[in-house]
Amino acid sequence: MTDKRPRDERISASGSLPASFRKRRRPVVLPLTPLIDVTFLLLLYFLLTSTFYEPEQQLAAALPRPGGEMSVLLPVHVTLAPTGAANEGVSYRVGEGEPTAELSSVRAALAAHAKVAADPELPVIIHTGRDVRWKYVIEIFNTASAAGFQAVTFAPAEEW
Amino acid sequence: MSKRIADGSLHLPLTPLIDCTFLLIIFFLLTAQLAGRELPELALASPREPSPSILPAEDKQRNYVTVNVITRYDGAVRNRDPGLSGMASRYQVGVDVVEAGRPDAMAVLTELLGSRKSQADSRGVTDFRVEIRADRDVRYGDVEPVMRAASDAGIEMMSLTAKIENGTPERELEELQGD
């Protein structure tokens, strides 16, 4: 049988709330703010400190072997000499040609040699001055390889 | 996951969750630093055109030892002093560092490369090579001894690390090889 009396009257009659009113459920509050604070701090830290990986390539080459076997083909000699007050520049020379600072001239000269020889095994020997910057050596190696030469080797560093 | 405590409120056990998160962060921080130590930041040479000598990506990660040739500018890319940037300060093989100024630097380098070569030989590796990862501004006179040391250690092949813009499209390589 249900108690049809108003709520105030029910409280005054029993002296306390009925069981259904006494156990009021508290709202669940998760402390998310500090969690998100820390997460954003970490995110910011990683964004600021990380460096993105830049892909690197590798150019395959044979190591120079002192006293190694000689090719029967006459090699193409490419000479690199340093230029500039702090050796920051370079001068290229293919065979007995004129020295040049233009890589396009070297590319053309090497392409001409490759066309005449018609043999990818024709050796190209890169003679480099001790003070020439590495970037020029890589550039000339890559150019010779792009011109079709497969046997590109390095001579010991030379003093100029 | 969640549980009720005595007063009936719902409680999420966040402490173990945060413990695990921090453990993971520490793990990733430490391993990232270890991986980075073997490949120091260098300004690499960047040739202007692709060539057939570029190793395919699948061959890059096999059977090799990397020698880093580090300039005195140590990673700085801009505003370099042209005189100082030409000088190598140290060579790094894996995590082993050899100061370039040491009188026996080449002997130590040869020994290090020799031990790597022996390890590779004992595993039956036949195509072992040395990767020369040199700063673009270092003098050839400081890189060439690495080639000599590798040659003295019995290594026959090498690869030269460079950064070529946008990699090498397969089509361009085929065209170059077909010419």
Side-chain angles (χ1 to χ4, degrees):
Chain A
M1 192 176 153
T2 14
D3 192 350
K4 301 255 171 127
R5 286 176 299 168
R7 185 167 175 264
D8 291 346
E9 284 177 37
R10 272 185 282 154
I11 292 168
S12 58
S14 63
S16 63
L17 278 169
S20 58
F21 283 92
R22 255 184 279 135
K23 278 196 176 178
R24 185 178 291 170
R25 182 174 288 180
R26 287 185 190 170
V28 179
V29 181
L30 273 176
L32 282 181
T33 316
L35 201 72
I36 293 166
D37 279 354
V38 171
T39 312
F40 275 104
L41 274 175
L42 285 172
L43 189 70
L44 205 66
Y45 168 78
F46 282 117
L47 276 177
L48 291 176
T49 55
S50 62
T51 47
F52 290 99
Y53 171 74
E54 293 182 51
E56 297 174 0
Q57 285 82 29
Q58 291 178 29
L59 307 168
L63 274 164
R65 275 183 297 173
E69 72 272 15
M70 292 290 287
S71 167
V72 289
L73 301 163
L74 275 177
V76 178
H77 295 276
V78 183
T79 311
L80 276 71
T83 60
N87 299 317
E88 70 276 15
V90 72
S91 163
Y92 306 104
R93 189 179 184 201
V94 180
E96 295 300 313
E98 286 295 311
T100 176
E102 294 299 320
L103 192 69
S104 53
S105 309
V106 180
R107 194 180 293 123
L110 283 172
H113 275 283
K115 200 172 177 183
V116 170
D119 185 354
E121 291 301 318
L122 180 71
V124 173
I125 302 176
I126 301 173
H127 300 264
T128 311
R130 193 170 295 282
D131 290 325
V132 171
R133 302 306 168 106
W134 179 243
K135 59 186 168 189
Y136 300 120
V137 183
I138 290 271
E139 190 77 80
I140 207 72
F141 175 85
N142 193 57
T143 303
S145 179
F149 293 102
Q150 292 175 5
V152 186
T153 55
F154 297 93
E158 295 173 26
E159 204 72 62
W160 279 307
Chain B
M1 183 86 185
S2 61
K3 62 178 182 183
R4 283 180 193 281
I5 53 175
D7 64 354
S9 67
L10 205 59
H11 177 74
L12 264 180
L14 283 179
T15 315
L17 201 73
I18 293 166
D19 280 355
C20 285
T21 311
F22 276 103
L23 273 176
L24 282 172
I25 288 168
I26 289 166
F27 169 76
F28 283 118
L29 275 177
L30 291 178
T31 52
Q33 279 179 2
L34 281 175
R37 274 176 65 195
E38 290 194 19
L39 287 179
E41 193 184 349
L42 292 180
L44 294 171
S46 46
R48 290 167 225 177
E49 58 182 326
S51 78
S53 58
I54 298 172
L55 278 173
E58 62 267 23
D59 285 356
K60 280 203 294 193
Q61 303 300 323
R62 292 188 317 182
N63 308 331
Y64 71 100
V65 56
T66 303
V67 181
N68 297 284
V69 185
I70 302 162
T71 169
R72 292 228 171 152
Y73 259 80
D74 211 3
V77 177
R78 292 186 179 84
N79 303 322
R80 287 179 159 186
D81 180 290
L84 279 180
S85 62
M87 293 182 218
S89 69
R90 60 191 190 275
Y91 303 101
Q92 188 177 325
V93 184
V95 290
D96 297 313
V97 175
V98 182
E99 294 299 326
R102 277 177 67 165
D104 61 342
M106 283 309 111
V108 176
L109 209 53
T110 308
E111 198 181 317
L112 279 172
L113 292 175
S115 72
R116 300 296 177 97
K117 174 80 167 63
S118 310
Q119 287 169 14
D121 287 344
S122 64
R123 293 198 317 266
V125 173
T126 52
D127 57 348
F128 190 73
R129 62 191 164 80
V130 60
E131 175 197 354
I132 299 181
R133 192 171 175 271
D135 192 282
R136 67 182 180 205
D137 284 330
V138 166
R139 304 176 319 144
Y140 179 66
D142 285 343
V143 181
E144 187 251 352
V146 179
M147 295 185 198
R148 259 190 289 135
S151 192
D152 290 348
I155 302 171
E156 291 179 357
M157 290 182 289
M158 68 172 167
S159 59
L160 314 172
T161 307
K163 200 179 285 177
I164 299 171
E165 292 301 319
N166 303 322
T168 310
E170 290 296 319
R171 191 176 51 78
E172 283 184 48
L173 270 181
E174 282 167 13
E175 281 172 7
L176 282 165
Q177 283 160 342
D179 283 344

